[in-house]
Amino acid sequence: MEATLRVLNELEREGAFVRYAIGGAVGAIFYMEPFLTYDLDVFVVLPATERGLLTLAPVYEALRRRGYPEAGECVDIEGVPVQFLPAYNPLVEEALAEAVETLYEATPTRVLRAEHLAAIMVQTGRDKDRQRFATFLAEAELDRARLDGIIRRHGMETRWKQWTT
Amino acid sequence: MDDLNPELARLLAAKDARRLRLARASFPEKIAALVCLQTMAAPIQRRRGREVAPWGLAKTPAADGST
């Protein structure tokens, strides 16, 4: 895992993406009891392109040059299947901008804030998000004021009520 | 929990406490626990035809020869 994070940091330094942060199941595990997953979801802010397209092609190309070819929707980086997800809406963009800086052993990395992870689960709304959501709320330490702000800014009040009552 | 047998209530409370303790573990400790989970679950997943490998290990074919 640490070697994987070192590669991600190098890619960010080289400009393959502007910024990255861990999200998804491993992001949730940062705040709660570990549960089974085999993928590492990494959200990225991609560099601006002339046509404004969101494409991961330059990221995959940079990884191929380092000997990490993509396999399906993931890239195996030092034994960890990494799935890159471009910032696809304002909530995810904000989550990436405000991600928490942390250390994994001696390697710096970023993880999405618990409040953004909760909001993304609700917004994404898959069955597995719903199953994870209740436990996440029970175990993660959430900043209620920050969470309320996120829900309000992204127009999620109705859905949030549906998920929490 | 009030209606539970006291011994069962004690066991469930201990489970909740353990869960919260695990939730407060360090990130590397949690990833180590995750890799243990992956290792335990991989044979079951492979028997179901899902190609998985614990982090840091190469993927191995399923017992029935599928990957």
Side-chain angles (χ1 to χ4, degrees):
Chain A
M1 174 78 164
E2 192 171 20
T4 308
L5 298 176
R6 277 198 295 267
V7 173
L8 294 176
N9 290 337
E10 285 169 19
L11 290 173
E12 184 176 289
R13 269 197 302 275
E14 289 172 10
F17 39 76
V18 177
R19 185 175 172 84
Y20 85 90
I22 297 169
V26 177
I29 286 170
F30 186 74
Y31 299 100
M32 66 189 292
E33 179 186 19
F35 57 90
L36 185 63
T37 182
Y38 286 94
D39 304 323
L40 177 65
D41 288 345
V42 172
F43 288 88
V44 290
V45 178
L46 294 167
T49 60
E50 280 183 24
R51 293 179 187 174
L53 289 174
L54 277 184
T55 173
L56 288 166
V59 178
Y60 292 146
E61 179 53 38
L63 284 163
R64 261 196 303 273
R65 281 199 303 270
R66 290 167 184 273
Y68 306 114
E70 66 256 42
E73 72 283 9
C74 289
V75 183
D76 188 316
I77 305 176
E78 297 296 330
V80 176
V82 178
Q83 180 161 24
F84 290 96
L85 299 156
Y88 52 83
N89 69 21
L91 172 60
V92 177
E93 285 167 9
E94 181 186 289
L96 265 160
E98 297 181 11
V100 180
E101 308 271 347
T102 187
L103 278 177
Y104 185 92
E105 306 287 6
T107 303
T109 188
R110 274 183 225 105
V111 182
L112 298 189
R113 286 184 183 275
E115 298 79 13
H116 281 115
L117 284 166
I120 291 169
M121 283 180 214
V122 171
Q123 190 183 62
T124 309
R126 298 164 302 178
D127 285 347
K128 71 173 178 181
D129 294 309
R130 191 141 201 168
Q131 287 162 12
R132 189 181 299 158
F133 181 72
T135 313
F136 187 76
L137 285 193
E139 293 181 3
E141 289 175 350
L142 295 166
D143 178 332
R144 196 66 225 190
R146 184 186 292 274
L147 181 60
D148 289 345
I150 293 168
I151 293 164
R152 202 172 42 249
R153 270 195 304 285
H154 298 281
M156 299 172 61
E157 293 95 334
T158 306
R159 190 137 186 190
W160 185 267
K161 268 190 195 143
Q162 287 169 352
W163 278 49
T164 52
T165 52
Chain B
M1 197 112 73
D2 293 344
D3 298 335
L4 285 178
N5 169 304
E7 181 59 8
L8 187 56
R10 188 186 66 76
L11 290 172
L12 292 177
K15 272 170 90 86
D16 284 345
R18 181 174 174 277
R19 231 173 250 133
L20 279 179
R21 203 168 55 246
L22 280 169
R24 303 287 171 263
S26 74
F27 199 21
E29 284 171 330
K30 289 178 175 186
I31 296 300
L34 170 61
V35 174
C36 288
L37 279 175
Q38 292 172 338
T39 305
M40 287 188 288
I44 301 163
Q45 299 280 343
R46 287 192 204 113
R47 274 199 294 276
R48 291 177 179 165
R50 192 172 167 216
E51 185 189 355
V52 294
W55 286 0
L57 301 176
K59 284 182 180 136
T60 54
D64 62 2
S66 62
T67 55

